[in-house]
Amino acid sequence: MQRIALTRRGLASLALATAVMGLLRPAAAALVPGQQEIVQRVETYFNGIHTLAADFQQIAPDGSLSTGKLYIDRDRGGMRFDYDPPSKILLVAPGDWRLIFYDGSIKQVNVIPLAETPLGFVLDKEVKLEGDVTVEAVREREGEIDLVLVRTKEPDQGQVVLTLAKRPLELRRWTVTDAQGLTTTITLSQVQTGMPLDRKLFVWRDPQLFGWPED
């Protein structure tokens, strides 16, 4: 497989798209009925979202901070991460099988199957936390719920922890761990749902050909 060269910031951002690690864990216990009910509530929450926009903060394994804007259009199957300057990183899911990752600092494009990304399931027509992903654990604490997700066919390859506020139910953050056990955390704020989103947000236009969006 061809190795790809990415900047340190690009590698941290790529953790949004690939949850691959070689950590072995014991088999997870089956969820109890109360936990299964929470999973169903989370599925209902995601299925009730048509569009979403939010600010995000990304903390990389080295502690560096990036910010930007997240857009999701479940009706179109689109997702977009716009990173604020000075970052030159852009991630776009245009509504097919792809998540396109662009690192403008080295002018490199990488294409990742959406099904292999931590949040790919959010764009399914019906969100079901089973099949391609499995809920390995449900953790509750005051005001928040954690869902630990693994890929069903390769449970030893990694995990993503989704954290949601309890009341009202709302996605707050997620954490991805890489092959060395380093974590990247993405925290959302100013979450809004149900607003119209410009379909152009989810059209992939290679910045190498068309220029950076704000240029």
Side-chain angles (χ1 to χ4, degrees):
M1 180 180 296
Q2 182 180 6
R3 294 184 179 272
I4 54 177
L6 293 171
T7 61
R8 178 178 297 181
R9 186 179 298 271
L11 283 167
S13 302
L14 194 56
L16 287 166
T18 53
V20 179
M21 67 178 183
L23 303 180
L24 299 178
R25 298 182 304 279
L31 300 182
V32 300
Q35 294 173 328
Q36 293 171 352
E37 182 181 351
I38 289 172
V39 172
Q40 291 170 356
R41 287 179 54 215
V42 172
E43 290 174 342
T44 299
Y45 162 72
F46 281 117
N47 282 316
I49 294 173
H50 293 279
T51 59
L52 181 147
D55 297 329
F56 72 83
Q57 287 189 338
Q58 175 183 290
I59 300 177
D62 63 359
S64 61
L65 177 68
S66 301
T67 61
K69 193 81 172 181
L70 165 66
Y71 303 95
I72 294 174
D73 189 330
R74 283 185 17 87
D75 294 337
R76 296 191 179 107
M79 183 183 297
R80 181 185 182 101
F81 288 86
D82 266 330
Y83 283 74
D84 294 330
S87 176
K88 285 283 189 179
I89 292 171
L90 177 65
L91 291 96
V92 177
D96 51 24
W97 60 274
R98 302 170 295 166
L99 178 67
I100 302 167
F101 177 93
Y102 178 69
D103 187 342
S105 64
I106 55 175
K107 300 187 183 303
Q108 181 169 295
V109 177
N110 294 290
V111 179
I112 305 157
L114 192 59
E116 297 180 7
T117 67
L119 291 187
F121 72 90
V122 173
L123 300 182
D124 291 344
K125 290 187 177 181
E126 182 181 8
V127 173
K128 295 290 289 183
L129 295 176
E130 60 183 18
D132 290 340
V133 297
T134 294
V135 180
E136 187 178 63
V138 176
R139 301 192 291 253
E140 288 189 83
R141 57 185 176 277
E142 185 177 357
E144 290 187 336
I145 302 165
D146 288 339
L147 268 62
V148 181
L149 305 181
V150 297
R151 292 179 62 189
T152 301
K153 293 182 179 180
E154 300 169 303
D156 292 329
Q157 283 198 351
Q159 67 176 23
V160 179
V161 179
L162 297 180
T163 300
L164 298 96
K166 281 186 178 180
R167 296 183 181 85
L169 202 63
E170 182 179 86
L171 180 62
R172 283 187 171 173
R173 64 184 173 274
W174 63 93
T175 300
V176 180
T177 307
D178 70 11
Q180 289 75 43
L182 302 176
T183 60
T184 299
T185 300
I186 299 88
T187 301
L188 304 184
S189 61
Q190 304 298 320
V191 178
Q192 299 178 355
T193 59
M195 78 294 293
L197 293 176
D198 190 338
R199 67 174 59 247
K200 292 180 182 178
L201 288 169
F202 312 106
V203 175
W204 170 244
R205 292 171 60 86
D206 190 335
Q208 296 179 83
L209 301 177
F210 298 99
W212 196 253
E214 69 269 19
D215 288 348

